[in-house]
């Protein structure tokens, strides 16, 4: 797929990958074998009918193609861009056994962008069931569940704490990987289905779960994500210039600080940025920092082989000038007289023998400390679930180790009528897994509302 | 939800109070909680403490001091204008109880939300002494309201143009009168000096910390403060904390981290160069 040149793209926030032309899309679609028993589909967490939509591309039936995808996936323009396809649908594609798998994600993106240019269709509303569902959190999981539930005829209110919907798609993943216009379009699509979106509603504070039942909601789906930043615990962490990945991302993506002072929220970035961590979030922070004009060094405590970020993104980042320091962990941060970070001390790490599960752990090497200059530090070592709902819902079962909400395979929590899914129940995962959870929960909520005993009296008791 | 400004009141020079239509927030608000106000698309998320709420009328009230671009722009909104979003109530409610004799000390714009606490403390059966702190006499406001709500009202100004000069007089007050609790809301330096005054008297002192905030719901961590040696988040663990355990030095430094950018923004706004394309 065509990409913009690294020298050019590192100067702005425009999208890096340009997408297929029509000829390229058709040519790629023709390579598909139209398998009778398509393995690719098993690799997709939401079971997109892959060979069917690819066939539509071959035949030039783009409108039918996008409708085919949308029967299973409410956010194709997003998934086509940010799904880790190499781990999912494309990993299972038969063509990948010898040679390259079909570029399923790129074809999906092609159709979604085609629809964006040509205008989409909104399915007709089905007769109302008279049941009310509250969906909490307008990230990919919540948007998917809301879309599915409203299509089943339920009355859906989607509560979002921030003033913009989209969850991580809006505040986390940067513009140059996922343009915000696309997220906006997908959100508008979900609203056009009839979902009532309420922005600036922090559930737990404005209404809590029992109050929502009292307000007449028959069931609810909690999809509030994993947005609580984790810290290193090293001395000096509260110095100026030390950002959590979330602060950095929210400033830049949600509040558009890269356009400061045209936009009101600022970001301060120095010359030597150190990003601590090695996942997708760390790579995104590093690539943003380079676009803001800094030299960036990624500090990861394991080695290159263990980097959890997507290969494609690591390569993109290195093309753009990212430096990496592997097997290194922070020990302490030092500041100047005004309380701004100036340097940091790190220690070298070594990998230990693999344990039974095969995973190697790391340990510090004695007397190996070194100091590096750092006038901005971004800590991207993981997130845990937002705790407000858990704290304000008595009896809701959570995992004491990491604060995730405990659910069964259908997304049921221990409380009747209360479902959960996405990052809040799995810990930080992927867009498509959150959407899969949204789909499953929508199905079981429907089941519960239509066949189970929906509580109409507003009472609230844990099972 | 419309978030329409139903009433605008000028409290003092560059100090404004808005009463906004927000029935759902009004139904849930408690003293000590705050809002995030977003004026228009592209605006900052401004944290402001709730000054009053009326569940019946469905309104919440907040007051702000024009200190930088965002608050200056907010002040240009008029009665009848609509704000893009008001999120809340955020943060934990104040601990209101019958403590006995309570000293409520306010400084600057924070006198306005302090009076909500005064009201609640009084309603809970306390004897309340309210101190209104201001830079100088011309910035003194809501004295009448304070007198109606409290058992005793004292005034102090930085330059002595109204009431006592500075907060040092509190030392003498505490020496001759016993207080069971002290609530302080105001500029950080003033809260710190009041805490130093109450410390030797062992009066539990609650401060409302105002670190820089963005989301106000525990996602970014910019509001982190050190209290009792622990890292806590101003927005979800606070905004009220034990003043005797608060690391004020760190808070002052963290509040100033974006100063050059804030100045730039403010100068551009004043000179008319800031982006006003989508205003309102
Ligand atoms: C920087 C970054 C890059 C990533 N890159 C990729 C990628 O390339 N590919 C990929 O597949 N995944 C990626 N991920 C992970 C992916 O974005 C998440 O797994 C996914 O967004 C989780 O979806 P969710 O719906 O569970 O939660 P979220 O997207 O986190 O959405 C939760 C929403 O709930 C709202 N909320 C929280 N609490 C409340 C409350 N009390 N009341 C109301 N609303 C509330 C939040 O404001 C938020 O909008 C990335 C994540 C980050 C941070
Ligand atoms: C929980 C909470 C409650 C608050 N309640 C009120 C209130 O009721 N009324 C009110 O007027 N203000 C209140 N504040 C402070 C208010 O949010 C800031 O004054 C406002 O965000 C400044 O925005 P600005 O763009 O106009 O100024 P900026 O350009 O951001 O800043 C201008 C000047 O104000 C200082 N400043 C910036 N942010 C803060 C802050 N959070 N606290 C104190 N000083 C700051 C800066 O250091 C700078 O000197 C509260 C803050 C918090 C966190
Ligand atoms: S949604 Fe993701 S995993 Fe499924 S087909 Fe599309 S790109 Fe592949
Ligand atoms: S497995 Fe590959 S070749 Fe077969 S249908 Fe799926 S995409 Fe086409
Ligand atoms: S303001 Fe972001 S965590 Fe408190």
């Amino acid at each position: 797929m065509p990409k913009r040149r690294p020298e050019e793209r590192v100067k702005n926030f425009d999208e890096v990958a340009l997408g297929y032309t029509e000829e390229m899309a058709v040519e790629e679609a023709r390579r598909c074998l139209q398998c009778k028993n398509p393995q690719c589909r098993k690799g997709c967490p939401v079971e997109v009918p892959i060979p069917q939509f690819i066939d539509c591309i071959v035949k030039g039936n783009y409108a039918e193609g996008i409708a085919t995808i949308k029967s299973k996936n409410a956010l194709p323009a997003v998934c086509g861009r940010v799904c880790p396809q190499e781990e999912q649908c494309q990993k299972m594609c038969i063509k990948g056994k010898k040679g390259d798998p079909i570029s399923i994600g790129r074809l999906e993106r092609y159709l979604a962008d085609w629809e964006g240019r040509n205008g989409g269709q909104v399915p007709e509303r089905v007769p109302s069931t008279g049941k009310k569902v509250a969906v909490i959190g307008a990230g990919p999981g919540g948007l998917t569940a809301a879309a599915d539930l409203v299509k089943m005829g339920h009355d859906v209110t989607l509560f979002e704490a921030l003033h913009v919907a989209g969850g991580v798609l809006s505040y986390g993943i940067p513009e140059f990987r996922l343009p915000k216009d696309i997220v906006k379009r997908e959100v508008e699509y979900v609203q056009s289905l009839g979902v009532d979106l309420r922005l600036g509603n922090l559930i737990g504070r404005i209404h809590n779960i029992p109050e929502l039942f009292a307000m007449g909601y028959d069931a609810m789906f909690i999809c509030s994500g994993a947005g609580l930043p984790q810290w290193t615990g090293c001395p000096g962490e509260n110095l100026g210039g030390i950002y959590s990945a979330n602060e950095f991302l929210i400033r830049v993506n949600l509040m558009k600080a890269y356009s400061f002072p045209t936009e009101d929220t600022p970001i301060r970035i120095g010359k030597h940025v150190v990003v601590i961590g090695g996942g997708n979030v760390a790579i995104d922070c590093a690539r943003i920092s380079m676009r803001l004009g800094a030299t960036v060094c990624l500090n990861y405590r394991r080695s290159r082989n263990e980097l959890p970020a997507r290969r494609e993104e690591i390569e993109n980042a290195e093309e753009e000038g990212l430096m990496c320091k592997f097997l290194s962990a922070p020990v302490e941060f030092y500041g100047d007289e005004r309380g701004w970070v100036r340097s940091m001390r790190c220690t070298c790490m070594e990998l230990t023998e693999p344990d039974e599960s095969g995973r190697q752990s790391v340990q510090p090497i004695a007397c190996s400390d070194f100091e590096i200059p750092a006038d901005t530090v971004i800590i991207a070592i993981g997130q845990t679930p937002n705790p407000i709902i858990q704290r304000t819902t008595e009896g809701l079962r959570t995992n004491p180790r990491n604060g995730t909400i405990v659910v069964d395979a259908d997304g049921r929590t221990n409380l009747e009528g209360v479902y959960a899914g996405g990052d809040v129940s799995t810990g930080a995962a992927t867009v498509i897994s959150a959407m899969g959870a949204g789909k499953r929960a929508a199905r079981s909520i429907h089941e519960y509302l239509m066949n189970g005993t929906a509580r109409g009296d507003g009472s609230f008791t844990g099972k | 939800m419309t978030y329409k400004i139903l009433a605008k009141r000028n409290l003092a020079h560059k100090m404004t109070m808005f009463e906004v239509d927000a029935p759902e927030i009004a139904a849930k608000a408690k003293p000590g909680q705050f809002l995030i106000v977003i004026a228009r698309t592209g605006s900052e998320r401004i944290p402001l403490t709730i000054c009053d709420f009326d569940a019946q009328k469905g309104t919440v009230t907040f007051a702000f001091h024009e200190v930088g671009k965002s608050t200056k722009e907010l002040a240009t909104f008029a009665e009848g204008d609509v704000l893009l979003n008001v999120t809340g109530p955020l943060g934990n409610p104040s601990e209101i109880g019958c403590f006995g004799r309570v000293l409520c000390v306010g400084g600057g714009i924070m006198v306005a939300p302090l009076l909500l606490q005064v009201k609640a403390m009084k309603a809970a059966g306390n004897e309340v002494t309210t101190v209104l702190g201001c830079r100088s006499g011309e910035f003194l406001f809501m004295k009448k309201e304070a007198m109606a709500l409290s058992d005793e009202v004292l005034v102090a100004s930085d330059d002595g143009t109204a009431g006592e000069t500075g907060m040092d007089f509190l030392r003498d007050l505490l020496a001759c009168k016993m207080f069971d609790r002290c609530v302080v809301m105001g500029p950080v330096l003033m809260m710190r000096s009041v805490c130093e005054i109450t410390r030797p008297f062992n009066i539990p002192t609650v401060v409302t910390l105002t670190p820089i905030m963005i989301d106000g719901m525990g996602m970014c961590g910019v509001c982190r403060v050190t209290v009792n040696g622990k890292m806590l988040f101003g927005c979800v663990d606070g905004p009220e904390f034990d003043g005797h355990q608060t690391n004020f030095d760190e808070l002052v430094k963290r509040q100033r981290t974006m100063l050059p950018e804030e100045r730039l923004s403010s100068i551009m706004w004043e000179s008319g160069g800031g982006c006003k394309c989508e205003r309102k």
Side-chain angles (χ1 to χ4, degrees):
Chain A
M1 181 159 55
K3 286 196 285 196
R4 294 191 307 115
R5 294 202 331 277
E7 315 78 81
E8 177 206 313
R9 68 190 193 226
V10 74
K11 293 201 187 97
N12 57 43
F13 281 78
D14 296 342
E15 192 171 16
V16 167
L18 295 171
Y20 280 153
T21 59
E22 182 167 10
E23 293 71 43
M24 293 161 93
V26 173
E27 192 184 320
E28 181 67 13
R30 285 221 174 92
R31 294 207 305 124
C32 171
L33 302 174
Q34 291 294 319
C35 305
K36 284 276 158 323
N37 179 13
Q39 295 304 305
C40 52
R41 196 171 171 178
K42 294 186 187 142
C44 172
V46 296
E47 295 164 15
V48 166
I50 297 169
Q52 287 82 346
F53 90 71
I54 293 183
D55 191 43
C56 292
I57 298 180
V58 173
K59 299 197 173 112
N61 297 336
Y62 302 133
E64 187 189 334
I66 189 70
T68 310
I69 298 178
K70 282 202 166 166
S71 68
K72 288 290 175 189
N73 178 353
L75 312 170
V78 173
C79 292
R81 286 174 168 81
V82 303
C83 259
Q85 292 109 7
E86 65 282 2
E87 295 291 320
Q88 297 177 350
C89 50
Q90 291 173 199
K91 188 180 189 180
M92 308 291 281
C93 172
I94 204 87
K95 283 286 241 184
K97 294 269 182 306
K98 291 197 290 267
D100 290 335
I102 305 297
S103 297
I104 300 166
R106 291 171 185 178
L107 291 173
E108 184 168 322
R109 170 180 168 175
Y110 175 77
L111 283 178
D113 290 354
W114 177 88
E115 187 192 36
R117 286 190 303 273
N118 293 280
Q121 277 175 350
V122 178
E124 279 191 18
R125 290 201 72 169
V126 301
S128 167
T129 59
K131 306 279 184 200
K132 279 175 72 174
V133 187
V135 176
I136 302 160
L143 286 166
T144 304
D148 280 12
L149 285 162
V150 83
K151 282 194 224 159
M152 292 164 183
H154 306 300
D155 188 356
V156 182
T157 312
L158 178 54
F159 293 98
E160 167 55 48
L162 291 170
H163 65 292
V164 177
V168 171
L169 308 180
S170 289
Y171 80 75
I173 304 182
E175 183 82 20
F176 55 84
R177 282 214 291 130
L178 180 62
K180 300 304 154 229
D181 283 350
I182 286 171
V183 180
K184 205 169 149 220
R185 202 174 76 211
E186 304 279 26
V187 171
E188 281 164 4
Y189 168 73
V190 173
Q191 280 181 281
S192 74
L193 296 172
V195 171
D196 178 13
L197 174 64
R198 305 261 181 96
L199 299 173
N201 277 245
L202 181 68
I203 299 302
R205 292 282 189 219
I206 186 146
H207 314 296
N208 58 28
I209 302 281
E211 284 163 354
L212 286 170
F213 277 114
M215 285 160 67
Y217 289 97
D218 300 295
M220 45 215 69
F221 178 54
I222 305 171
C223 196
S224 50
L228 183 72
Q230 295 200 286
W231 304 96
T232 63
C234 298
E237 204 165 26
N238 287 356
L239 285 164
I242 302 187
Y243 301 105
S244 73
N246 264 359
E247 179 188 350
F248 187 75
L249 293 165
I250 290 177
R251 280 183 187 273
V252 175
N253 298 323
L254 186 72
M255 307 310 289
K256 307 214 181 325
Y258 56 84
S259 299
F260 177 83
T262 309
E263 300 280 333
D264 289 349
T265 304
I267 181 97
R268 170 102 62 90
I269 194 145
K271 289 268 167 285
H272 303 283
V273 175
V274 174
V275 178
I276 299 168
N280 284 315
V281 179
I283 301 283
D284 279 342
C285 291
R287 294 179 73 194
I288 291 172
S289 303
M290 290 189 282
R291 280 161 175 74
L292 295 172
T295 320
V296 183
C297 182
L298 188 81
N299 230 272
Y300 180 52
R301 63 197 191 110
R302 295 167 185 268
S303 70
R304 174 180 290 271
N305 291 334
E306 286 86 21
L307 267 182
R310 284 179 77 185
R311 278 292 124 192
E312 187 183 330
E313 300 302 342
I314 298 166
E315 283 160 20
N316 278 333
E318 289 190 323
E319 279 172 22
E320 289 161 10
L322 177 68
M323 292 176 293
C324 297
K325 177 91 187 96
F326 296 107
L327 294 164
S328 148
V331 180
E332 184 166 1
F333 303 99
Y334 303 106
D336 61 19
E337 61 294 340
R338 283 166 312 141
W340 193 267
V341 63
R342 132 180 93 73
S343 68
M344 62 185 278
R345 188 153 57 90
C346 304
T347 187
C348 296
M349 309 292 282
E350 63 185 347
L351 289 165
T352 57
E353 291 299 313
D355 60 12
E356 303 91 70
S357 69
R359 179 139 167 110
Q360 288 178 294
S361 79
V362 280
Q363 62 188 35
I365 302 175
C367 305
S368 66
D369 286 12
F370 59 98
E371 198 175 322
I372 51 171
D375 50 15
T376 304
V377 175
I378 302 168
I379 298 172
I381 56 173
Q383 275 112 249
T384 50
N386 294 338
I388 291 178
I389 294 177
Q390 294 84 316
R391 281 191 201 167
T392 53
T393 312
E394 213 177 307
L396 181 64
R397 192 174 301 143
T398 56
N399 183 331
R401 201 168 40 82
N402 53 16
T404 50
I405 299 179
V406 179
V407 292
D408 69 9
D410 295 320
R412 281 189 206 95
T413 69
N414 63 312
L415 301 180
E416 193 185 324
V418 181
Y419 296 72
D423 282 6
V424 73
S425 64
T426 57
T430 61
V431 171
I432 194 69
S433 60
M435 292 177 57
K439 281 210 127 26
R440 285 193 302 279
R443 216 173 324 176
S444 50
I445 288 173
H446 181 65
E447 194 64 5
Y448 167 71
L449 292 178
M450 303 317 283
N451 307 329
T453 41
R455 184 185 16 250
D457 59 358
S459 69
F460 179 71
T461 45
K463 236 182 203 170
Chain B
M1 222 52 56
T2 58
Y3 310 113
K4 187 169 174 178
I5 300 167
L6 300 177
K8 178 176 179 176
R9 172 174 167 195
N10 189 316
L11 296 175
H13 183 57
K14 288 187 185 285
M15 294 189 185
T16 308
M17 193 172 208
F18 281 167
E19 183 178 5
V20 173
D21 182 32
E24 297 195 315
I25 301 177
K28 279 309 287 272
K30 298 238 163 57
Q33 292 186 298
F34 66 97
L35 308 165
I36 295 258
V37 176
I38 308 159
R40 53 160 181 91
T41 311
S43 291
E44 276 191 286
R45 298 170 59 91
I46 316 174
L48 296 170
T49 313
I50 295 173
C51 294
D52 206 356
F53 52 87
D54 185 331
Q56 227 106 62
K57 255 167 82 189
T59 62
V60 281
T61 304
F62 55 85
F64 58 96
H65 186 187
E66 293 174 47
V67 290
K69 148 98 207 255
S70 300
T71 42
K72 283 175 190 166
E73 182 173 6
L74 192 59
T76 66
F77 279 63
E79 242 169 58
D81 285 350
V82 169
L83 299 165
L84 178 73
N85 191 276
V86 178
T87 298
L90 300 171
N92 298 303
S94 319
E95 195 190 333
I96 304 288
C98 190
F99 300 104
R101 205 182 272 157
V102 180
L103 177 65
C104 293
V105 186
I109 190 69
M110 297 304 274
V111 160
L114 180 83
L115 293 186
L116 183 59
Q117 294 228 23
V118 169
K119 187 155 98 180
M121 286 293 189
K122 187 72 195 148
N126 297 285
E127 183 187 326
V128 183
T129 298
T130 305
V131 178
L132 306 177
C134 54
R135 220 175 331 146
S136 66
E138 57 185 313
F139 293 101
L140 180 66
F141 60 84
M142 294 182 106
K143 190 174 171 194
K144 223 189 264 159
E145 283 95 332
M147 303 219 325
L149 293 170
S150 344
D151 295 286
E152 179 185 22
V153 175
L154 302 164
V155 174
S157 57
D158 293 348
D159 62 2
T161 50
E164 308 279 345
T165 307
M167 289 290 169
D168 286 343
F169 77 98
L170 287 178
R171 218 170 261 122
D172 305 331
L173 177 71
L174 297 182
C176 54
K177 208 167 175 181
M178 275 286 296
F179 283 93
D180 303 290
R181 194 174 179 89
C182 177
V183 175
V184 197
M185 295 173 92
V188 180
L189 297 179
M190 173 231 149
M191 291 196 289
R192 175 164 67 185
S193 44
V194 173
C195 287
E196 285 323 309
I197 293 172
T198 60
R199 192 194 298 276
F201 296 95
N202 273 326
I203 303 173
T205 302
V206 181
V207 291
T208 294
L209 299 186
T210 53
I212 294 179
M213 290 189 181
I214 306 177
D215 57 293
M217 52 189 74
M219 284 163 67
C220 73
V222 67
C223 63
R224 56 198 192 273
V225 290
T226 304
V227 179
N228 207 357
K230 279 213 308 254
M231 181 206 281
L232 296 174
F233 284 6
C235 63
V236 288
D237 299 312
E240 296 187 355
F241 293 96
D242 178 350
H244 293 151
Q245 302 290 345
T246 299
N247 182 337
F248 284 107
D249 290 337
E250 180 185 273
L251 178 61
V252 169
K253 282 189 178 146
R254 287 193 60 79
Q255 273 194 342
R256 291 185 181 150
T257 48
M258 294 281 169
L259 213 53
E261 289 77 8
E262 286 159 359
R263 288 218 176 105
L264 172 69
S265 198
S266 184
I267 291 168
M268 285 186 62
W269 168 259
E270 300 251 289
S271 68
C275 173
K276 293 175 184 162
C277 52
E278 284 179 279
R279 249 177 70 200
K280 274 232 296 232

